[in-house]
Structures are given as C-alpha cells and as structure tokens.
Amino acid sequence: MGAGPNYVLDKGFQANEALTQYYLVKLVTASEGYVDQSDTTNEVCIGVTQEACTADDATSGKIVDVRIMGVSTCVASQAINLGELVRSSGAGKISGLAGAAKQKVLGIALTAAGVDGDQLDVLLTPLVEVDNS
C-alpha cells in the first residue's frame, strides 16, 4: 500500500443497498443520486466506496463517500500486477484485463495484489473501452 492519503475527488451518493468499503459501485439508473455495488464483470462503474454501509444504513438514507477520481484502495478478485490495467470483475472487486474484446478500463494498479481479497492502490482513470483481443 502507498503511504499517506491520496484524495482527489470524492462525491456523496445515497446507498441503495448494503455496500462494502473499497468495492466498486455503479449508478442506479432508476434513481438519480443512488449507487449499488457492482455485480457484473466488465461493468460501467462510477467509483469506489470509501466506507461501508449496512442494509439498515441504506434504508435510513445513508450518504456514502465514493472516490470517482484519484487514487483509491480497491479489492482484487485475483492476482494483479503492478502497472496492470484493471476492470470490474463482478461482486464489487477488480481484476486485470482478460482476452475479451471491448473491456471497460477503470484504472491502473499502483501496487500489486497476490490473491482474491487482497487490497491494492489503483489510479482511477476516466472510463475508457479497449479492445484486448
């Protein structure tokens, strides 16, 4: 992990469901200003939660901080190399790019992850789609 905070741009969103800290979130298209945890591989994500939120908190209207630009801690679903481009892997975690075409790149790994569940620092970049086939 990198030393010290790396804040650039956090935005408050209302949690639509329970959220896990450092997991990817997506916009709820039916409700402006709400986020859900990412649940699909190669999904368009708005950012990374900076705090956890229980189901009760979400029902009570909790606003959570979401890092949408800058450096954030993320949770890996597999081994990720330093400098590797990353995407959503489902269940809120990130992975490196696969051989599939048209992948949505979320950022660049600034530290490495060895296994599923490891935390790593990621430079969040504006969402771009690359053809990795």
Side-chain angles (χ1 to χ4, degrees):
M1 296 288 210
N6 299 288
Y7 310 118
V8 172
L9 182 57
D10 289 359
K11 179 168 177 27
F13 289 93
Q14 189 162 342
N16 194 51
E17 62 183 3
L19 301 173
T20 304
Q21 184 179 32
Y22 302 135
Y23 274 39
L24 297 171
V25 291
K26 61 184 177 182
L27 294 172
V28 177
T29 55
S31 302
E32 188 175 318
Y34 285 77
V35 290
D36 278 339
Q37 197 158 284
S38 170
D39 56 6
T40 305
T41 299
N42 205 31
E43 188 166 38
V44 174
C45 298
I46 189 66
V48 182
T49 57
Q50 298 302 296
E51 59 190 302
C53 175
T54 67
D56 287 341
D57 288 340
T59 301
S60 299
K62 179 170 175 126
I63 303 296
V64 295
D65 288 330
V66 175
R67 179 86 26 94
I68 59 177
M69 186 182 295
V71 177
S72 181
T73 299
C74 294
V75 178
S77 66
Q78 63 185 47
I80 296 174
N81 296 318
L82 173 68
E84 191 170 355
L85 297 175
V86 296
R87 67 178 180 140
S88 67
S89 65
K93 297 179 182 179
I94 64 168
S95 67
L97 301 186
K102 296 194 177 179
Q103 296 180 78
K104 295 164 183 69
V105 175
L106 299 173
I108 303 164
L110 296 179
T111 56
V115 295
D116 180 23
D118 277 0
Q119 293 184 352
L120 68 156
D121 289 339
V122 173
L123 172 61
L124 302 174
T125 60
L127 185 68
V128 296
E129 198 166 68
V130 297
D131 189 342
N132 200 38
S133 55

